[in-house]
Amino acid sequence: MSEEHQIDEHLPEEPEEGSYALEKRAVTAILYAVDVGDAEQLKELMEPLHAADIADLLEQLNTYDRRRLVELYDREFDGEILSELDEGIREEIISVLKPHVLAEAVREMDSDDVVDLVEDLDEPQQEAILEALEDADRVAVEQALTYPEYSAGRLMQREVVTAPEHWTVGDAIDFLRNAEELPDQFYHVILVDPRMHPIGNVTLGKLMSSRRTVPLKDIVEDVFQVIPVTQYEGDVAYAFNQYHLISAPVVDEADRLVGVITIDDAMAVLDEEHEEDILRLAGVSDEASLSDTILEAAKGRALWLFVNLLTAILASLVIDIFAETINQMVALAVLMPIVASMGGNAGTQTMTVTVRALATRDLTAQNAMRVVGREVSVGALNGVLFGLIMALVAGFWFGAPMLAAVIGVAMLLTQVSAAIGGIVIPMALDRFGIDPALASGPFVTTVTDVVGFSAFLGLAASVMM
Amino acid sequence: MSEEHQIDEHLPEEPEEGSYALEKRAVTAILYAVDVGDAEQLKELMEPLHAADIADLLEQLNTYDRRRLVELYDREFDGEILSELDEGIREEIISVLKPHVLAEAVREMDSDDVVDLVEDLDEPQQEAILEALEDADRVAVEQALTYPEYSAGRLMQREVVTAPEHWTVGDAIDFLRNAEELPDQFYHVILVDPRMHPIGNVTLGKLMSSRRTVPLKDIVEDVFQVIPVTQYEGDVAYAFNQYHLISAPVVDEADRLVGVITIDDAMAVLDEEHEEDILRLAGVSDEASLSDTILEAAKGRALWLFVNLLTAILASLVIDIFAETINQMVALAVLMPIVASMGGNAGTQTMTVTVRALATRDLTAQNAMRVVGREVSVGALNGVLFGLIMALVAGFWFGAPMLAAVIGVAMLLTQVSAAIGGIVIPMALDRFGIDPALASGPFVTTVTDVVGFSAFLGLAASVMM
């Protein structure tokens, strides 16, 4: 028995489908309540759910059920659910909500959440929401909207807790104990000089555990990063992840404190950036979500398919040059997709590693040449390996030693070109300020297809004909 | 001038290469100090750098420079740098460090960081580090290692700050003010019942701003998630991101508090999981990093290239069936890669959206059928669009109306099959507990290649010959 127990302890719980997903039974009960129009029952069933889970539920329903649920839930619908919703669904729900329900929902929200909400909305919906806000909040939101989209200014909250640099622990504790109002969530007291330049962070834990006479200056955190208000949000997320920040002060052009960003917002940005990268690498426009309409989704993908069509036609033009050669030896037509497919895959591998290394700043001017060399070596190594395998396969299949030699060499050339294309193209795009995740794919495929087909058919034409 | 200023304010700062990347000048100066063997100068140059940046720098150097730098830096080398290093480089550096430097570096580290360090090491290195620890720390690390790899137990820190559920704000403040030792970083006081079951979180901020007589129970956070100690770390990261948690108590099988996980650790896991997904989707084994050796990297990619070779050969077998048809009309050989390439790309798009939606729990049993229907519609829509385009292209290119019709229909069929394969295959793999990011690619490509070639060549054979 003790052995069994030990085995259990050493196996991680499988990432089951069920963990943190909404329980099917709960969803069924909720849909039933909506179906029969039982508002009381619906309210009771929704009560224990976190706003993020309610948002997920709404996203998973069809438009009809979603609308009915929102109407029945009515006044219970709060701002937090709105902030958690996907953009498309959010607009749809805002247009369904009664004006007074929407107004109340928005009034409950923190100003940085309202900013996040209104920045994606159409003009009329934006105005409706701004009008619902109290004057002070509206001004705060409007001010935040003057910062560039995707900048630290849009992410930050304006409520900060500061202390003059000469204060002691006792001063800070007395101040906090007597403060009329403190932000909902804060983790640091920010030390500022008389001109409001932030100079250090003191954690509340350190404050709690230090003697009253200790100067705050003596217990500031070792790691202190100040974020410029116009910094791109992706860089903010990178800084939080790289330096393990919990919160960081945001400063304007004169280095004066204007707000604070906390790690939960940075984590959400990191998540979005990853989503963008992964979808862009696959040639899906980054607005894509399961709640897009069919037409939106088709449009988002058609663009990249169209680019791919052009590169595919280019590759076909290469094949066309060798039409006569193929006519004389149909085995070439049978084998040529293998060369292209292997090249495309190797190119995608190298390209993905490169895009990822650029995003994490692991690939820099410092090590660029070495990494290119490494990738080419990897390509050559796998080129030799798969060149030999394919030479054997082709040799046995078609019983033509010359054909075997040709496909082997073509494979090697294609793998090396895939490595070069896969690393040089994203690096060049990055250098020119173009997102390598978005644009590398078609270029890399063009390289591998053109090299693959020309090498294979060209060698065949010159050696075998 | 004011106009210029406004424009500046409305444009986000470009995500420049330089932001948070190591400055080239600093790197050059450091390398120079290493070159001339100036330990003093090296120490001075490294002083302002964060451990994470030093780790990045070490990763970007070649083996020779790295070894020389570590030897010269000697006693300054601390545990934090070790924790920030990539696994491969870390093992290399541990083998270079003098035993007493390693011992001291490890003794400075928090026990959860030591766990993170030793779990990836070989047996002898692991023992060397465990021996360097003080007894209490060694026991803590060894205990953590009894939890499954990738579980909450490995992520958590054991130092927690708790308060009995009946305490008031005043009790908690007095306790904290008088505590001998508090953890370095903590954000919540965890309320526990007499059997150490966690029942709520009180933020330090709320504690600070509440009156002494208020019961702690009245100011607990609304959102409270308890993490089972054996939970998979990916699910832990999901919970932090979904519920905007800052820290969460970890409980054993009897629901007793055993530790706490903080958001910075969850953020690191989220980042790793994304990296894994993105690399796996591209067919790169997930240990891949720029510091892998050429042989390691080639091996990690060869496996997937080999699987791809098998599917490519399968597709070639399909072409071989129609060799006679191609012999009669070489235009088929010229056009067929277009059909396959477009199918492969559409399949990758759908597959990536599906894998991502499964990871974020946006695709569930609840909406599966609707999402499948949506994807098939998207595929059909783009199939019709690109079928028409290719029919026109082929018609003009080869002047053969029948060939135009054939490629148009083949394109439609391939796009629809790409949509079905792209969503059904990852969903099926997920259902059987196989990571869809790792295994979907080859299957989807097989479907699109086989359908693409058979549809195009099969239609051509039956209609045109």
Side-chain angles (χ1 to χ4, degrees), chain A residues 160-164 167 175-176 188-192 196 216 257:
Chain A
V160 292
V161 180
T162 60
W167 274 14
F175 165 75
L176 290 173
H188 293 118
V189 174
I190 305 169
L191 289 204
V192 290
M196 280 299 274
L216 291 181
L257 183 69

Side-chain angles (χ1 to χ4, degrees), chain B residues 189-211:
Chain B
V189 173
I190 304 168
L191 290 202
V192 290
D193 73 9
R195 296 194 314 194
M196 281 300 275
H197 299 159
I199 53 170
N201 266 337
V202 174
T203 67
L204 293 181
K206 205 66 139 289
L207 199 64
M208 278 288 193
S209 59
S210 303
R211 294 170 169 282

Side-chain angles (χ1 to χ4, degrees), chain A residues 129-192:
Chain A
I129 285 184
L130 287 176
E131 270 169 37
L133 293 174
E134 282 160 39
D135 284 353
D137 288 339
R138 188 172 57 243
V139 171
V141 170
E142 282 169 349
Q143 262 180 12
L145 289 175
T146 65
Y147 293 117
E149 218 178 337
Y150 310 118
S151 71
R154 296 273 180 113
L155 269 189
M156 71 184 185
Q157 60 184 62
R158 300 172 146 260
E159 302 85 11
V160 292
V161 180
T162 60
E165 50 184 333
H166 59 81
W167 274 14
T168 62
V169 167
D171 295 331
I173 289 179
D174 293 343
F175 165 75
L176 290 173
R177 296 294 297 150
N178 296 316
E180 289 268 310
E181 204 177 8
L182 289 173
D184 265 7
Q185 300 274 350
F186 73 105
Y187 311 102
H188 293 118
V189 174
I190 305 169
L191 289 204
V192 290

Side-chain angles (χ1 to χ4, degrees), chain A residues 9 11-13 15 19-20 27 31 50 52-53 56 60-62 84 148-149 173 177 182 185-187 204-205 207-210 212 221 223 225 230-232 235 238-239 241-244 246 253 263 271 274-275 278 282-284 289-290 292 294-295 298 301-302 304-306 308-309 316-317 319-320 323 326-327 330 333-334 336-338 341-342 345 349-350 352 356-357 361-362 364 366-367 370 374-375 377-378 381-382 386 389-390 397, chain B residues 5 9 11-13 15 19-20 27 31 50 52-53 56 60-62 84 146 148-149 173 177 182 185-187 204-205 207-210 212 221 223 225 230-232 235 238-239 241-244 246 263 271 274-275 278 282-283 289-290 292 294-295 298 301-302 304-306 308-309 316-317 319-320 323 327 330 333-334 336-338 341-342 345 349-350 352 356-357 361-362 364 366-367 370 374-375 377-378 381-382 386 389-390 397:
Chain A
E9 268 197 351
L11 283 175
E13 260 174 36
S19 34
Y20 295 112
V27 176
L31 282 181
H50 186 283
D53 290 331
D56 283 351
Q60 285 164 24
L61 297 181
N62 62 42
E84 300 283 354
E149 218 178 337
I173 289 179
R177 296 294 297 150
L182 289 173
Q185 300 274 350
F186 73 105
Y187 311 102
L204 293 182
L207 200 63
M208 279 289 196
S209 59
S210 303
R212 287 187 63 91
E221 292 290 280
V223 180
Q225 287 280 340
T230 54
Q231 188 168 65
Y232 174 64
D235 290 333
Y238 176 81
N241 198 24
Q242 172 83 344
Y243 303 116
H244 311 292
I246 295 296
E253 279 155 43
I263 187 174
D271 197 41
H274 279 300
E275 167 132 14
I278 215 167
V284 183
S289 89
L290 288 190
D292 284 356
I294 290 169
L295 209 63
R301 300 192 203 163
W304 203 79
L305 286 176
F306 187 73
N308 180 66
L309 182 64
S316 286
L317 287 172
I319 301 174
D320 200 25
I326 294 173
N327 230 346
V330 77
V334 174
M336 68 184 186
I338 297 181
S341 158
M342 292 296 282
N345 275 289
Q349 289 179 332
T350 306
T352 305
R356 180 70 201 166
R361 279 86 159 163
D362 286 340
T364 64
Q366 175 61 34
N367 61 351
R370 196 150 34 83
R374 190 189 87 127
E375 285 302 320
S377 310
V378 170
L381 215 60
N382 278 336
F386 289 102
I389 294 178
M390 265 319 293
W397 190 347
Chain B
H5 183 70
E9 270 199 351
L11 283 174
E13 260 174 36
S19 32
Y20 295 112
V27 175
L31 282 181
H50 187 281
D53 290 330
D56 283 352
Q60 285 164 26
L61 297 182
N62 62 42
E84 299 284 352
T146 64
E149 217 178 341
I173 289 180
R177 296 293 297 151
L182 289 173
Q185 299 276 351
F186 73 106
Y187 312 101
L204 293 181
L207 199 64
M208 278 288 193
S209 59
S210 303
R212 288 187 62 91
E221 293 291 279
V223 180
Q225 288 280 342
T230 54
Q231 189 168 65
Y232 174 64
D235 290 333
Y238 176 81
N241 197 24
Q242 172 83 344
Y243 302 118
H244 311 293
I246 294 296
I263 186 173
D271 198 41
H274 279 299
E275 168 132 13
I278 214 165
S289 90
L290 288 190
D292 284 356
I294 291 169
L295 208 64
R301 300 192 202 163
W304 202 79
L305 285 176
F306 187 74
N308 180 65
L309 182 65
S316 286
L317 288 172
I319 301 174
D320 199 27
N327 231 344
V330 77
V334 174
M336 69 184 188
I338 299 182
S341 159
M342 292 296 283
N345 276 287
Q349 290 180 330
T350 306
T352 306
R356 180 70 202 165
R361 279 83 160 165
D362 286 339
T364 62
Q366 175 61 31
N367 62 351
R370 197 149 36 81
R374 190 189 87 126
E375 286 302 320
S377 309
V378 169
L381 214 59
N382 278 337
F386 288 101
I389 294 177
M390 266 319 293
W397 189 348

Side-chain angles (χ1 to χ4, degrees), chain B residues 19-156:
Chain B
S19 32
Y20 295 112
L22 285 166
E23 266 183 61
K24 204 175 172 187
R25 219 184 321 159
V27 175
T28 311
I30 288 172
L31 282 181
Y32 179 75
V34 172
D35 239 20
V36 300
D38 187 342
E40 272 312 304
Q41 178 70 7
L42 176 67
K43 195 180 144 188
E44 202 172 295
L45 287 164
M46 301 276 272
E47 177 63 37
L49 297 183
H50 187 281
D53 290 330
I54 297 181
D56 283 352
L57 169 67
L58 286 169
E59 285 162 13
Q60 285 164 26
L61 297 182
N62 62 42
T63 317
Y64 177 77
D65 286 341
R66 182 160 53 231
R67 181 181 287 256
R68 290 211 53 194
L69 192 156
V70 171
E71 282 166 358
L72 199 62
Y73 201 44
D74 199 33
R75 289 173 163 281
E76 300 296 321
F77 202 97
D78 64 24
E80 245 181 287
I81 307 174
L82 275 185
S83 347
E84 299 284 352
L85 282 168
D86 261 2
E87 202 182 311
I89 302 288
R90 194 196 264 170
E91 285 185 37
E92 180 198 312
I93 286 182
I94 287 178
S95 66
V96 175
L97 285 174
K98 293 181 190 142
H100 67 276
V101 175
L102 178 62
E104 201 176 327
V106 171
R107 268 199 292 269
E108 282 165 10
M109 292 166 71
D110 290 338
S111 68
D112 58 330
D113 289 334
V114 180
V115 172
D116 187 44
L117 182 80
V118 299
E119 67 184 0
D120 301 325
L121 293 179
D122 303 335
E123 198 78 17
Q125 287 192 327
Q126 208 175 72
E127 267 171 39
I129 285 186
L130 286 176
E131 270 169 35
L133 292 175
E134 283 158 36
D135 284 355
D137 287 338
R138 188 173 56 245
V139 171
V141 170
E142 282 170 349
Q143 261 180 12
L145 288 175
T146 64
Y147 295 115
E149 217 178 341
Y150 309 118
S151 72
R154 295 272 181 112
L155 270 189
M156 71 183 186

